[in-house]
Amino acid sequence: HVQLVESGGGSVQVGGSQRLSCVASGDVGRKYMAWFGQAPGAEREGVAAVWDEEGDSIGGSFYADSVKDRFTVSLNSANSTVWLQMNSLKPEDTAMYYCAAGKSKYGSWARVSSYSYWGQGTQVTVS
């Protein structure tokens, strides 16, 4: 049984920082985890993804254009923990943030359907 538990959400002022954490328990498969954000009334969208080297694949990360140079995603695959450091926060970053794991090999990193496991979400409000 796989469980993802996020923490670190809260209210923050414009220009401030927030650090989200997600710990996965159980076998999530590939060393690949991601963060998605869902604003009220909007679809869930990919924010960042990170993966560790595995087989012939080297490690790396992806970011949505809207968060590049502001957010940093990092992974400790040994204990299946992923973080999202959010800096220079803007009101439009306000969303419920979800951790995802269990990505299919060929699915896009930013597609909800590419992931099998999801956390319950943690709210970030920027004002």
Side-chain angles (χ1 to χ4, degrees), residues 30 103-107 114:
R30 300 177 64 206
K103 182 184 173 299
S104 61
K105 186 174 182 179
Y106 298 109
S114 296

Side-chain angles (χ1 to χ4, degrees), residues 94-114:
T94 295
M96 183 74 78
Y97 285 80
Y98 296 90
C99 173
K103 182 184 173 299
S104 61
K105 186 174 182 179
Y106 298 109
S108 167
W109 76 269
R111 289 183 66 89
V112 170
S113 59
S114 296

Side-chain angles (χ1 to χ4, degrees), residues 34-37 44-49 63-67 109-112:
W35 288 96
F36 281 70
R44 195 172 297 187
E45 297 181 334
V47 173
Y63 293 92
D65 288 342
S66 60
V67 306
W109 76 269
R111 289 183 66 89
V112 170

Side-chain angles (χ1 to χ4, degrees), residues 72-95:
T72 302
V73 63
S74 55
L75 172 68
N76 182 332
S77 58
N79 58 16
S80 297
T81 302
V82 62
W83 296 270
L84 185 68
Q85 178 66 43
M86 312 165 73
N87 297 329
S88 302
L89 283 162
K90 305 175 181 180
E92 51 264 45
D93 295 320
T94 295

Side-chain angles (χ1 to χ4, degrees), residues 6-85:
E6 302 103 331
S7 61
S11 296
V12 60
Q13 292 184 337
V14 173
S17 297
Q18 199 81 351
R19 181 175 171 88
L20 306 182
S21 301
C22 172
V23 180
S25 59
D27 184 5
V28 299
R30 300 177 64 206
K31 302 173 184 178
Y32 197 124
M33 299 182 74
W35 288 96
F36 281 70
Q38 186 167 19
E43 293 186 354
R44 195 172 297 187
E45 297 181 334
V47 173
V50 61
W51 64 96
D52 205 353
E53 61 178 65
E54 192 169 19
D56 295 333
S57 172
I58 61 175
S61 58
F62 285 128
Y63 293 92
D65 288 342
S66 60
V67 306
K68 282 180 180 177
D69 300 324
R70 298 190 299 122
F71 290 10
T72 302
V73 63
S74 55
L75 172 68
N76 182 332
S77 58
N79 58 16
S80 297
T81 302
V82 62
W83 296 270
L84 185 68
Q85 178 66 43

